[in-house]
Amino acid sequence: MYNVHLPGNLSVAGGLSATSAVKITLTDVNDNKPIFFPLEYRVSFSANVSDNKPVAIVRATDADSGRFSQITYKLSTGGDENLFRIDHNTGELFVVSTRSLLHNRQYVLNISAIDGGGVRSAEEARAFITVTNAFQFGRSQYVFTVAEDVPLNTPLGNVDARFNGKDEKVNYFIHSGDPEGWFVLDLFSGILKTISFLDYEKYHSVLLNVRADYENTATATFTQIFVILEDRNDNAPEFFSSNPVRLSVPENTSVGVPLFVAFARDQDSGTAGTIHYSLSSGSSVSPGSETGLFVVDPVTGVLSLTSSLDYEVSQRHTLVIMASDHGELSLQTNMTVFLEVQDVNDNSPIFEQTEYFVVVTESLPSHSQIQQVVAVDLDTGNNAKISYKLADVKTDTDQLDNESFGMSPNSGWIYLKKQLDRETVGAYTLKVTASDNGVHRNTATAIVQVTVSDYNDNDPQFSRDLYEFSIEENKPHGTIIGTLQAVDKDADNNAAIRYSLIPNNSSFQINPFSGI
C-alpha cells in the first residue's frame, strides 16, 4: 500500500495538491520449482507391517503461492514388483503388499514433486527402504508436537530401536532433515530435545531422518520423526509504511474519503496473525468538541474523516494508529501519522467596517489620501492576499463619477484624483471591493460615504450690479430707503454676509446683517 502525492500547478495562485492511497497487488507467477528437503530418506521396518500402512513420508516445498505452491508427488521408480505407492497429496509412502517383500533387502525409490503449474522439481528425492526383522525401530515414523516457545533442552519424546529384541549397545543420530540445528538426539536414550529456539514462522514442521547404529557393527536402521510446531503469538504486527507517515490533506476533503491506508502484517497464524486497527491517541479531537475528526477502519486500516477539517482552526494533527493482533496476549505496534491540513480558499475577505464615513474638505489637493479600508482573510498564502478596487462611485444626485477618486489595490487607500468642489457635489457614495487571490476568488464589499466640507473659496455676489433708490427730502432719521441683497455659494460661516458702506457717509447707513 502506497500513498501518492499529486502536486497542483504551483505557478497558479493558490495552487493545491492531493494525496491518494494506491493499493498495488502483485500477482504471483510460477517462477519457482519444488524443492525436496531433505533429498534423501531412509527408513527400516519389519516385514510383517500391515498392508497400506504409511512407512515413510517425503517433503517438498515451493516458494510460490496459491495453486503454484500445491505439490503433487509421483513415484518415478517403484521396483519391478510395484510394492509401494505414494499419496500424491501428502507424500506418504505405503506398502502395497507385504507378502512380496524380501527380508534384509533395501528398496530404492525415486520420487518427483510437481507444482500446480506443472513444473517438476529439479532434483528427485530418493527413499531407501529396508525390510528387516533383526534390527528395527518400534515405529517407521514418530510424530511429536511442540510449541514454538518451549525453552531450550525441552524433551519432545524418544525413539527406540532394538537388535534382535535387545536395546543395549544402540546409538542414535539425526541423519538429516534439521536445517536450523534445532534438535539433538541423545546418543544412548534416543530422547529428542531442543538445543535452539524454535520458530513456527520459519518452519511449520520438520521431518527428521533418524539413524540407529548397533554398537561396534556396521548394522544400521532408520526411522522418521515428524515434528509439528504449534504457533504462539510471539510476533507483533509490522507496518509496511515508513514510520512516521506524513500526509498533506486539503481542508475541504469530504467526510469518508480515504486519506491513508495503514497496512500491517503479522507473521503469526490464525487469530494471532489477525490484525485489528485503531486510533490509540493523538490530536484527533477538534477543539471544544469530544467528537473525533478521524476514524480508522478496524479491518482494512483505511483512515478517513468523520467531520470536516478546518485549516483556520487547526493546521496539523498527530495521529497514532495501532495495529493489534488477536492473540491470547495481544501484541501491538504503533505508527505515527503527521497530517498537515492544506488551506483551501473557503473564506471570503471581511472588512473591518461594512460602512465608512469620511469628511473631505474641498480645498484638499489632488492625490491626497482620504481613507484607508482594511479587510482580512482567514485563509493563507495567495488565498489570503487581498486586492482592493473601487467598484462604483455615485454623487449625491445619483450620478456616476469615475473621475474624482482612485484606490490603491494593495494598501486599500482611497485618494483624490482631482480637487473636489463642494458647491458642485456635496457628497459621494463609494462602493469598494476586497478580493482574495485564490484560484476561485472570493469578494467582499464595503461602502464609503464621503462628505465634502466647505472651504471659503467663493466671494459674495450682489443680486444686482446697480441699485437705484429714491427718497423725499426731509425724511426723518431711520427712514428705510431700500434693501441690498448678496449671496455666497459657500456654507455656514463662510456664507454669512456683512454689509458696509465704502466710504462711510454721514447721511446714510446700512444694516450689516440685513442689507437695509
Side-chain angles (χ1 to χ4, degrees):
M1 185 63 63
Y2 302 90
N3 285 280
V4 179
H5 182 69
L6 180 64
N9 185 355
L10 299 181
S11 64
V12 179
L16 303 177
S17 63
T19 299
S20 177
V22 179
K23 183 177 183 179
I24 300 176
T25 302
L26 300 183
T27 303
D28 189 30
V29 296
N30 195 16
D31 55 349
N32 291 281
K33 295 181 178 181
I35 298 174
F36 281 100
F37 186 85
L39 271 173
E40 181 184 294
Y41 302 84
R42 292 181 181 270
V43 66
S44 304
F45 58 88
S46 171
N48 61 2
V49 68
S50 302
D51 290 347
N52 292 315
K53 179 180 179 180
V55 294
I57 187 171
V58 297
R59 295 286 302 279
T61 57
D62 193 302
D64 294 315
S65 63
R67 67 183 184 92
F68 296 138
S69 66
Q70 297 173 359
I71 304 295
T72 300
Y73 300 92
K74 183 178 180 180
L75 279 177
S76 299
T77 60
D80 296 335
E81 299 83 9
N82 293 322
L83 299 175
F84 303 94
R85 70 177 179 86
I86 191 168
D87 187 299
H88 297 303
N89 296 319
T90 65
E92 291 178 298
L93 287 167
F94 296 84
V95 177
V96 175
S97 175
T98 58
R99 290 177 295 178
S100 302
L101 294 177
L102 299 177
H103 289 256
N104 298 317
R105 160 104 183 254
Q106 185 180 76
Y107 297 89
V108 180
L109 306 177
N110 291 329
I111 304 157
S112 61
I114 304 169
D115 66 21
V119 177
R120 187 180 295 267
S121 56
E123 295 183 83
E124 293 185 338
R126 301 185 75 193
F128 298 87
I129 300 176
T130 302
V131 182
T132 177
N133 285 326
F135 188 25
Q136 64 183 13
F137 281 95
R139 306 177 200 169
S140 60
Q141 187 182 78
Y142 295 80
V143 179
F144 300 146
T145 301
V146 60
E148 66 170 327
D149 60 349
V150 296
L152 300 180
N153 298 315
T154 297
L156 309 186
N158 72 291
V159 296
D160 182 30
R162 294 176 181 270
F163 186 77
N164 291 326
K166 300 178 180 180
D167 59 0
E168 300 94 350
K169 301 179 181 180
V170 177
N171 295 329
Y172 299 95
F173 305 92
I174 294 177
H175 183 70
S176 63
D178 188 9
E180 301 296 325
W182 285 346
F183 306 101
V184 65
L185 195 62
D186 187 271
L187 181 65
F188 302 108
S189 67
I191 296 175
L192 184 69
K193 294 182 179 181
T194 60
I195 57 171
S196 182
F197 293 108
L198 309 181
D199 189 357
Y200 175 88
E201 286 67 46
K202 200 159 195 177
Y203 295 102
H204 295 356
S205 62
V206 177
L207 182 61
L208 303 176
N209 288 303
V210 174
R211 185 180 86 246
D213 293 345
Y214 191 66
E215 191 176 42
N216 300 323
T217 71
T219 304
T221 188
F222 294 86
T223 190
Q224 291 181 315
I225 300 178
F226 190 43
V227 182
I228 301 173
L229 274 66
E230 293 180 339
D231 190 25
R232 291 292 183 268
N233 192 19
D234 58 346
N235 292 280
E238 295 178 353
F239 281 103
F240 272 42
S241 304
S242 59
N243 196 355
V245 170
R246 299 184 182 276
L247 301 179
S248 184
V249 179
E251 63 174 323
N252 63 345
T253 300
S254 300
V255 171
V257 172
L259 307 178
F260 173 75
V261 180
F263 183 59
R265 181 180 65 179
D266 196 306
Q267 297 184 40
D268 294 316
S269 60
T271 57
T274 303
I275 295 176
H276 173 93
Y277 300 95
S278 61
L279 279 176
S280 64
S281 64
S283 58
S284 60
V285 176
S286 57
S289 171
E290 295 181 356
T291 304
L293 284 172
F294 303 92
V295 66
V296 64
D297 189 283
V299 178
T300 64
V302 173
L303 178 69
S304 58
L305 292 170
T306 58
S307 58
S308 299
L309 297 172
D310 190 346
Y311 177 90
E312 288 69 44
V313 174
S314 181
Q315 292 82 44
R316 57 191 58 85
H317 300 273
T318 300
L319 310 174
V320 177
I321 299 177
M322 182 170 65
S324 308
D325 61 33
H326 285 202
E328 185 175 349
L329 296 175
S330 180
L331 300 177
Q332 301 88 26
T333 300
N334 291 336
M335 178 177 66
T336 302
V337 178
F338 295 115
L339 188 144
E340 297 285 338
V341 181
Q342 287 182 351
D343 185 34
V344 174
N345 194 18
D346 58 346
N347 290 280
S348 297
I350 300 175
F351 279 100
E352 291 181 343
Q353 299 173 221
T354 57
E355 191 169 11
Y356 295 80
F357 297 91
V358 58
V359 176
V360 179
T361 179
E362 62 179 329
S363 64
L364 201 63
S366 62
H367 304 295
S368 297
Q369 294 178 334
I370 63 171
Q371 177 68 46
Q372 184 182 30
V373 295
V374 178
V376 294
D377 194 307
L378 296 177
D379 295 315
T380 60
N382 284 331
N383 295 332
K385 188 177 180 180
I386 295 176
S387 298
Y388 299 92
K389 182 180 179 181
L390 266 179
D392 186 51
V393 179
K394 288 186 177 181
T395 68
D396 52 5
T397 59
D398 207 30
Q399 300 295 313
L400 292 177
D401 184 347
N402 296 320
E403 306 297 328
S404 299
F405 300 93
M407 189 171 197
S408 173
N410 297 322
S411 65
W413 272 103
I414 300 171
Y415 61 90
L416 295 177
K417 294 171 69 174
K418 66 178 183 179
Q419 190 171 353
L420 303 180
D421 184 7
R422 187 203 65 83
E423 287 72 37
T424 303
V425 179
Y428 298 86
T429 299
L430 282 60
K431 181 180 179 181
V432 297
T433 61
S435 303
D436 60 33
N437 282 11
V439 176
H440 303 287
R441 293 193 172 190
N442 295 317
T443 301
T445 302
I447 299 298
V448 180
Q449 300 287 359
V450 178
T451 299
V452 183
S453 64
D454 186 47
Y455 179 73
N456 195 17
D457 57 346
N458 289 280
D459 294 328
Q461 298 290 328
F462 280 100
S463 59
R464 303 178 195 175
D465 292 334
L466 174 66
Y467 291 87
E468 293 184 5
F469 302 121
S470 297
I471 186 173
E472 295 176 353
E473 62 179 342
N474 300 322
K475 284 290 183 180
H477 175 73
T479 299
I480 296 175
I481 300 175
T483 302
L484 281 66
Q485 188 175 27
V487 294
D488 193 307
K489 293 181 180 181
D490 294 318
D492 300 326
N493 290 334
N494 295 330
I497 297 176
R498 292 179 65 85
Y499 299 90
S500 62
L501 293 176
I502 303 174
N504 290 329
N505 189 296
S506 59
S507 299
F508 302 94
Q509 64 180 12
I510 189 168
N511 187 295
F513 302 105
S514 65
I516 294 175

